[in-house]
Amino acid sequence: MKNYYIAQTYDECVHDNLYLQMNQYELDSNKDIYKQVCILAKRDFAPVVEVYAISARDYRKSWLHKKFRFKEYKCKCTPESVKITYDLYDLMKQEEEEEEKLKGKEKEDK
Ligand SMILES: [Zn+2]
């Protein structure tokens, strides 16, 4: 007897502390699990898919079989947020440098 497999798709955004359940699908345990998970992730644009196994002997028993992560469906705010942080950092650095220059000039004037 084979176990049953259920796939749960999740939306995830680490910046917003978001981990949202999307859809649940029954998998065909006779077919390649990973292939089925890939198709479901694509359908839901899910960055995370958790696969739960349900015991064929006792359907009340279930456990996390595997957790899949898909980089291609990762929230798009990530690179953008990082970019903003860098831009701000550069701006702060520029301001600091200008301040240093001004201080240098003040010294020269004296
Ligand atoms: Zn995000």
Side-chain angles (χ1 to χ4, degrees):
M1 269 203 296
K2 277 190 175 174
N3 295 328
Y4 300 102
Y5 292 98
I6 298 281
Q8 172 70 55
T9 54
Y10 287 93
D11 193 10
E12 186 185 43
C13 172
V14 282
H15 300 94
D16 294 339
N17 260 330
L18 179 91
Y19 198 65
L20 196 74
Q21 272 191 3
M22 291 201 284
N23 297 305
Q24 215 175 70
Y25 302 93
E26 204 175 314
L27 299 179
D28 186 343
S29 51
N30 294 311
K31 289 180 186 167
D32 189 289
I33 297 283
Y34 181 62
K35 267 187 198 166
Q36 294 178 77
V37 166
C38 287
I39 292 165
L40 296 173
K42 195 176 178 185
R43 182 187 293 173
D44 286 358
F45 273 97
V48 184
V49 181
E50 288 181 2
V51 174
Y52 289 90
I54 298 168
S55 170
R57 288 186 188 169
D58 184 353
Y59 63 88
R60 286 166 300 182
K61 280 184 191 161
S62 67
W63 61 93
L64 182 66
H65 172 66
K66 243 175 190 175
K67 189 170 177 171
F68 298 93
R69 288 187 175 275
F70 294 89
K71 271 186 200 162
E72 55 268 55
Y73 310 127
K74 227 174 150 186
C75 72
K76 294 291 181 277
C77 74
T78 311
E80 210 48 41
S81 314
V82 170
K83 196 176 163 286
I84 289 166
T85 313
Y86 277 129
D87 285 348
L88 266 175
Y89 178 74
D90 282 345
L91 212 84
M92 275 162 65
K93 244 180 130 181
Q94 268 176 33
E95 274 176 8
E96 255 175 37
E97 272 169 20
E98 267 167 40
E99 242 175 56
E100 287 298 312
K101 272 186 203 163
L102 280 174
K103 274 183 193 167
K105 265 190 186 170
E106 272 174 24
K107 273 182 191 168
E108 274 172 23
D109 287 345
K110 272 176 191 171

